[in-house]
Amino acid sequence: MKYFTVEEDRTPLYTGVITGSHKWGLPGVDTCPACGATWGDNSRAYPSVDLTSVASLAEFTDPWAVPIEEYERMCELVRPFLPPGALLEPGTTLGPAVGTAVGRFGQLMTSYPSWLLVQREALEKLQAEGVQGLKGVPTQLRFRQRNSPEFFELELLPVGRLHADCLPPDREPPCPRCGRVALSLPAERLLDAATLPSHLDVFRLEDFSNVLVCTERFAKACKRLKLDGVVFNPVPISRPKKRASPVK
């Protein structure tokens, strides 16, 4: 199986711009007692989560960093509403995408921070093709134009990791308290074959949530259906090392 990153098509044909965010989110962490970092990353999102019933118990609309004890309390409020396989980190966003949109969009589009949006007809076609793991959530985007598209956001679970061979050998392990990984995304990437899912054709990486990955099945279906708006760039995967033959 071949794999690709899903990235924005930057040709002048696509002028669409989205300004917005998800309805709710977890705050960042202010000065983690274990690693000392203040941080948050909003590239991990679960648009299907509905926090209406617990929204009064915490400030889920304020992205500013809070003490880690408050962040952990909010995580426990959120956890029962998460889809299976979801992972939390400071800055995780929740609920439907809300905002405004204008311009020309393709059938698919990626938007900061690493959303993957698909128009209704395109989503239905991909599902009919048997592409695995497509969970589309209606957005709440307001379009400043006539004949506006109806976009769904694909809920992408964090699975799969980069292989150790493309990462610094002296890297530090994730913080045991807040989970922060003090690494920059390498320019040359290699997927760890042992971590890749067999039940999903599109997902985001667990260790670098801003990287969207799809299988060859997904990329070929989009090409066959002539779905535009994104580009697919091949990314290599690790291969099992051959065992040395026993000495006779």
Side-chain angles (χ1 to χ4, degrees):
M1 176 72 76
K2 295 180 181 178
Y3 290 84
F4 301 81
T5 55
V6 185
E7 301 178 24
E8 179 184 3
D9 188 335
R10 297 181 179 274
T11 58
L13 179 65
Y14 305 103
T15 61
V17 176
I18 291 176
T19 303
S21 62
H22 292 95
K23 189 171 184 177
W24 300 289
L26 290 172
V29 165
D30 185 4
T31 317
C32 171
C35 67
T38 294
W39 73 287
D41 183 352
N42 64 350
S43 65
R44 190 174 290 182
Y46 304 108
S48 70
V49 171
D50 184 355
L51 295 185
T52 302
S53 62
V54 296
S56 62
L57 302 179
E59 184 54 82
F60 290 106
T61 57
D62 187 351
W64 293 104
V66 299
I68 195 167
E69 293 80 9
E70 174 62 10
Y71 163 75
E72 291 170 339
R73 183 184 78 87
M74 295 173 70
C75 283
E76 294 311 307
L77 292 173
V78 165
R79 211 172 297 279
F81 303 93
L82 296 176
L87 300 173
L88 296 176
E89 68 180 7
T92 296
T93 57
L94 309 156
V98 179
T100 60
V102 65
R104 188 188 187 283
F105 297 88
Q107 291 292 307
L108 295 92
M109 78 158 296
T110 58
S111 176
Y112 174 85
S114 302
W115 302 354
L116 182 54
L117 306 184
V118 56
Q119 294 191 37
R120 175 189 286 275
E121 183 180 2
L123 176 59
E124 293 172 348
K125 288 180 178 180
L126 287 170
Q127 291 171 332
E129 288 282 316
V131 176
Q132 300 180 99
L134 296 186
K135 182 179 180 180
V137 180
T139 64
Q140 296 179 9
L141 298 173
R142 302 185 308 278
F143 284 82
R144 300 174 179 173
Q145 61 200 51
R146 294 181 179 180
N147 302 320
S148 58
E150 183 182 5
F151 269 125
F152 287 70
E153 180 179 0
L154 293 184
E155 187 162 72
L156 305 179
L157 295 176
V159 287
R161 303 179 67 87
L162 293 185
H163 194 272
D165 287 352
C166 70
L167 300 174
D170 58 347
R171 63 190 180 280
E172 297 181 0
C175 173
R177 184 72 185 271
C178 70
R180 179 175 179 267
V181 178
L183 283 176
S184 297
L185 181 64
E188 300 294 329
R189 299 156 201 172
L190 177 68
L191 298 178
D192 186 343
T195 68
L196 299 176
S198 60
H199 63 295
L200 297 174
D201 282 321
V202 60
F203 51 93
R204 64 176 74 249
L205 293 184
E206 179 181 338
D207 48 355
F208 291 94
S209 296
N210 59 328
V211 178
L212 310 184
V213 176
C214 74
T215 63
E216 185 177 21
R217 184 186 296 111
F218 183 91
K220 282 187 172 181
C222 289
K223 183 176 181 179
R224 185 165 54 252
L225 295 168
K226 297 181 180 180
L227 304 182
D228 61 348
V230 299
V231 295
F232 301 101
N233 293 314
V235 57
I237 65 173
S238 63
R239 301 295 181 185
K241 295 182 179 179
K242 295 182 179 180
R243 295 184 179 180
S245 301
V247 178
K248 296 183 178 179

